[in-house]
Each structure stands twice: as structure tokens, then as C-alpha cells.
């Protein structure tokens, strides 16, 4: 399989020269798009969208039909792994994800098994291959998973939006139990991402959404160490093409040097970190992806354009930048502001290459 016709994104991740800065948007398929809301309404539930490869393909392609994005991302969720472990994932409207059976008891943790993606998550691999077919090699496809620690947050807390008291109590009082969960998660994530790569994902991203809430020592022991294990276990290439890894620790600005040595090719940067300073700190070791504040997209096309220019200027001249938001797009974003963002990146970035 040759590289995609538009391979700027894959090249930027490997810090190779590109004529402009490629751009995609975290959560680019989602509720700010009326066509997504329609498909989701027809499907009934969010999880039914994820589990139906035909619908997952449809919503993956929706943002690409509207905007000249440089990458597609698999439509799925990081919580497919704990769901496959039998924790009973559901989404109640407006409240985000919940688990019917969060991990609390020692015996439950001792019984936790590594997920076999081909047995329990075949629908994801089917979606990956269908999306690749539908993309017809125009732009690359991103596969993804949660970091072992971020998955553990949901598995132990049983829901999002908490203060992480349950997982932190375990971290300090029973680190052996948390390490056991993280070990199972790391092996599951490795198997899952390698299966996505074999099904056709051309790069993979690890979302460490909650690692930034840890103390420095705890981050290194409970989040970073397992991200390193995952990177270590990933297939480096498929079909003769290198498969770059992107690691995104939200709130991880203080650990960039360490993250740059985790086995990642590129680091996701949230908006609280200065991109130019981040670049100086990691040097030649990794590419950077980010980092416009998603709230900028709540304004006007003119403001979006001027803020895009600031992010490009902050990274400065040279290769190895993938433009993105610093976190997922808000559901209240007017779609025309996304058009302004993508156009501004494509119009302004050639000056820097
Ligand atoms: O980027 C993309 O377009 C791909 C799809 C994607 C989704 N979730 C779809 C989704 C990706 C990459 C994710 C990752 C994900 N899921 C993360 C890590 C990224 C991050 O934001 O930090 C996390 C923490 C989750 C867990 C999760 N799933 C939450 C907290 C929620 C609720 C979000 C909310 O705003 O209510 C979900 C549901 C979810 N995942 C939606 C989408 C489009 C909304 C579902 C709906 O239609 O109601």
C-alpha cells in the first residue's frame, strides 16, 4: 500500500519537510456538526454508532466532507476497552460515560483479564478497514486508545467528572492493586492498538487525558511508565510504512522532556503550554501537535484567523508541527469557525516551511 496522496500529516509527525502545516481537530466528528447529530439520532445511542462499522465510517467522513482536513480519526471511544472487560459502559444523556460495575473490590481487580481485541473489539477493527476503504488513500487514518492510567480513572471512579478520590486513595494506600490494573490495561492497549494498525490505522494516538492531575512522582510511576510500556509494545511499521505514535498528556506541560523519551514520535500540547518554549525544550527529538485553545472557536472567523497566526508564529519556522486544538472541540462551536481555522492554517503556514 503506497503512502496516502496527502501525506503531510504523517511526514510532519516524523519531522520530515512539508509544504505547509497539516491540521486535524480533536473530536472533529462530533456534536458541533448537525449531520453528526442527525446520524446519532437515527442510531439511537452513541455506543450504537461506535459498534456499527457502517455508521462509524459515515461519521468519521463527515468532517472531511466539509473541511480540507489533513487526517481522519477513527470514530470510536477510549472506553471500548473497559467495556470489553465487562464493566458495563453506558452513557446517560448530558452526564458523560458511566460504568455499572466500577472496580472497587480486591477480588474484582485480581480477576481482571487482558482484552483480546479480536474476540471483543472486532467491530472497531471492522470500522478501521471500512474507513480505510472509504478514504481511498486520500488522507491518513489515526487509530487511538486511552492511556492505561486514564482508562483506570474511569474504571475505578466509574464515571467522569469526579475529583479522582477513589483512584488516588488506591494509588496511595494500595499501589499494588493500581499497578495490577495498569499492567492489564497496558497489555490490552498494546494488543488493541496493534490490531488497529494491522487493520489499517496509519498512526496511533494515546490519550492521557487525566495524567496531568497527578503529583510529579505519581505521574512518572503510574502514568508515564505505562505509556512507555505501550510505546515499547507497538508495531513500528505496517505495509512497509512507519506508524508514528502521538502521546497527549493533558496538563502535561511540565513533563515534556520525559514524555519526549517515552517512545512517542509526537507530543500533543494543550493550550496552557507555550508552543515555542515546548519546542526549545524537546529539541529535535519529537514533533509537536497543538495547541489552540478550543474556546477560540466560540468567537468569530476573524478572531479564529488571528489566533491561528499566533499559534503558527509561536511554533516558528521549520517542520514537525501538526496544527490542532489543545483539547477536544466544544459542542457549541459554530461549524463556520472550523472552516476559518482550517483555511487559515493552510493559507498562513507555507511561510514557515
Ligand atoms: O476525535 C474524534 O473525532 C474521534 C472520536 C473520539 C470520541 N471520543 C468520540 C466521542 C475520541 C478520540 C474520543 C476519546 C475520548 N473519549 C477521550 C480522550 C480524549 C479527551 O477528550 O480527552 C475521553 C476522555 C473519552 C471518554 C468520553 N467519551 C467522554 C468523557 C465522553 C462524554 C463527552 C461529552 O462531551 O459529553 C464521551 C462520549 C463521546 N465520545 C462523544 C463523542 C463524539 C459524545 C457522544 C455523544 O454523541 O453524545
Amino acid at each position: 500500500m503506497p503512502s496516502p496522496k496527502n501525506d503531510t500529516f504523517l511526514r510532519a509527525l516524523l519531522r520530515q519537510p512539508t509544504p505547509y502545516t497539516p491540521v486535524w481537530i480533536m473530536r472533529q466528528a462530533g456534536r458541533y456538526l448537525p449531520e453528526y447529530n442527525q446520524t446519532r439520532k437515527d442510531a439511537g445511542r452513541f455506543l450504537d454508532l461506535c459498534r456499527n462499522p457502517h455508521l462509524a465510517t459515515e461519521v468519521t467522513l463527515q468532517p472531511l466532507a466539509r473541511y480540507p482536513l489533513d487526517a481522519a480519526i477513527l470514530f470510536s471511544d477510549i472506553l471500548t476497552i473497559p467495556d470489553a472487560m465487562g464493566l458495563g459502559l453506558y452513557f446517560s444523556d448530558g452526564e458523560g460515560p458511566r460504568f455499572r460495575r466500577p472496580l472497587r473490590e480486591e477480588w474484582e481487580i485480581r480477576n481482571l483479564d487482558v482484552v483480546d481485541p479480536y474476540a471483543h473489539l472486532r467491530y472497531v477493527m471492522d470500522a478501521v478497514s471500512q474507513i480505510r476503504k472509504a478514504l481511498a488513500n486520500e488522507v491518513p487514518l489515526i487509530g487511538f486508545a486511552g492511556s492505561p492510567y486514564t482508562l483506570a480513572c474511569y474504571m475505578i471512579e466509574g464515571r467522569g467528572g469526579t475529583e479522582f478520590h477513589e483512584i488516588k486513595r488506591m494509588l496511595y494506600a494500595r499501589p499494588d492493586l493500581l499497578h495490577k490494573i495498569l499492567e492489564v490495561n497496558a497489555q490490552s492497549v498494546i494488543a488493541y492498538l496493534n490490531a488497529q494498525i494491522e487493520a489499517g490505522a496509519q498512526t496511533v494516538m494515546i490519550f492521557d487525558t487525566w495524567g496531568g492531575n497527578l503529583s510529579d512522582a505519581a505521574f512518572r510511576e503510574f502514568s508515564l511508565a505505562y505509556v512507555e510500556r505501550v510505546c515499547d509494545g507497538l508495531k513500528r511499521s505496517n505495509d512497509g510504512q512507519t506508524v508514528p505514535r502521538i502521546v497527549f498528556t493533558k496538563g502535561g506541560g511540565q513533563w515534556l522532556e520525559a514524555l519526549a523519551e517515552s517512545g512517542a514520535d509526537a507530543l500533543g500540547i494543550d493550550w496552557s503550554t507555550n508552543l515555542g518554549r515546548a519546542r526549545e525544550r524537546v529539541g529535535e527529538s519529537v514533533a509537536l501537535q497543538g495547541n489552540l485553545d478550543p474556546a477560540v472557536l466560540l468567537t468569530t472567523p476573524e478572531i479564529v484567523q488571528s489566533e491561528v497566526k499566533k499559534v503558527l508564529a509561536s511554533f516558528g519556522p521549520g517542520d514537525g508541527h501538526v496544527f490542532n486544538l489543545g483539547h477536544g472541540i466544544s459542542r457549541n462551536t459554530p461549524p463556520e469557525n472550523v472552516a476559518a481555522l482550517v483555511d487559515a492554517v493552510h493559507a498562513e503556514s507555507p511561510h514557515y516551511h
Side-chain angles (χ1 to χ4, degrees):
M1 185 73 80
S3 49
K5 285 177 206 146
N6 174 354
D7 65 353
T8 49
F9 171 59
L10 295 178
R11 294 179 61 84
L13 291 175
L14 297 172
R15 305 180 60 260
Q16 295 166 358
T18 57
Y20 64 89
T21 305
V23 53
W24 70 281
I25 290 169
M26 284 193 267
R27 298 268 182 104
Q28 63 191 25
R31 289 172 296 184
Y32 72 103
L33 288 177
E35 57 271 34
Y36 170 83
N37 292 325
Q38 189 58 52
T39 311
R40 185 183 184 282
K41 205 167 135 214
D42 297 344
R45 294 179 313 161
F46 167 68
L47 282 174
D48 294 332
L49 271 187
C50 297
R51 288 183 185 135
N52 179 325
H54 173 72
L55 294 178
T57 302
E58 182 180 314
V59 292
T60 299
L61 297 183
Q62 284 172 349
L64 288 120
R66 270 190 188 248
Y67 316 112
L69 294 156
D70 296 292
I73 179 162
L74 162 70
F75 189 84
S76 188
D77 201 84
I78 63 166
L79 301 176
T80 51
I81 284 187
D83 185 46
M85 288 170 172
L87 273 57
L89 174 65
Y90 67 101
F91 287 83
S92 54
D93 261 341
E95 291 183 36
R98 298 266 174 131
F99 285 101
R100 289 196 180 81
R101 294 174 290 280
L103 287 179
R104 293 287 160 82
E105 306 297 332
E106 182 158 353
W107 66 267
E108 295 170 320
I109 295 166
R110 301 259 171 243
N111 283 339
L112 195 67
D113 274 333
V114 175
V115 167
D116 173 356
Y118 292 104
H120 302 290
L121 294 166
R122 196 169 277 275
Y123 66 91
V124 177
M125 271 44 85
D126 290 343
V128 170
S129 20
Q130 270 204 37
I131 296 164
R132 274 298 303 274
K133 266 197 213 112
L135 284 172
N137 234 15
E138 292 290 334
V139 293
L141 176 63
I142 307 164
F144 69 91
S147 74
Y149 178 75
T150 290
L151 294 180
C153 287
Y154 288 98
M155 292 159 71
I156 296 164
E157 299 290 324
R159 48 177 293 183
T162 68
E163 292 183 75
F164 305 102
H165 287 168
E166 298 294 336
I167 189 167
K168 287 201 174 182
R169 198 182 355 246
M170 190 184 292
L171 185 153
Y172 291 111
R174 290 298 306 271
D176 59 314
L177 293 183
L178 185 54
H179 277 301
K180 155 79 196 189
I181 296 171
L182 294 169
E183 181 60 40
V184 172
N185 287 357
Q187 288 183 39
S188 302
V189 169
I190 291 169
Y192 184 48
L193 288 178
N194 281 337
Q196 290 184 32
I197 291 169
E198 268 162 31
Q202 288 145 299
T203 173
V204 290
M205 176 151 167
I206 299 167
F207 285 93
D208 187 23
T209 305
W210 300 122
N213 287 16
L214 290 169
S215 73
D216 177 47
F219 174 74
R220 291 169 194 276
E221 180 177 349
F222 296 94
S223 180
L224 180 62
Y226 290 91
V227 167
E228 284 169 357
R229 275 190 56 109
V230 170
C231 287
D232 231 30
L234 291 181
K235 281 177 69 110
R236 192 61 184 128
S237 65
N238 190 44
D239 253 353
Q241 308 281 329
T242 302
V243 180
R245 303 89 180 253
I246 311 164
V247 171
F248 173 53
T249 294
K250 178 152 185 287
Q254 66 164 315
W255 298 297
L256 293 183
E257 292 84 353
L259 283 161
E261 289 177 2
S262 64
D265 297 288
L267 299 183
I269 306 290
D270 71 34
W271 67 88
S272 66
T273 295
N274 178 298
L275 199 56
R277 279 276 301 120
R279 187 181 180 190
E280 282 166 24
R281 286 166 58 200
V282 300
E284 306 285 290
S285 57
V286 285
L288 298 179
Q289 175 175 282
N291 72 341
L292 186 74
D293 183 346
V296 168
L297 288 178
L298 304 175
T299 62
T300 64
E302 294 71 34
I303 296 171
V304 169
Q305 191 184 34
S306 82
E307 294 296 324
V308 163
K309 286 186 192 169
K310 291 181 197 167
V311 171
L312 290 171
S314 177
F315 185 85
D319 299 296
H321 180 207
V322 172
F323 200 100
N324 206 317
L325 303 180
H327 197 202
I329 188 168
S330 156
R331 64 189 297 180
N332 301 319
T333 301
E336 60 270 25
N337 286 351
V338 177
L341 182 156
V342 176
D343 290 347
V345 174
H346 286 160
E348 301 296 331
S349 64
H351 308 307
Y352 294 96
H353 292 269

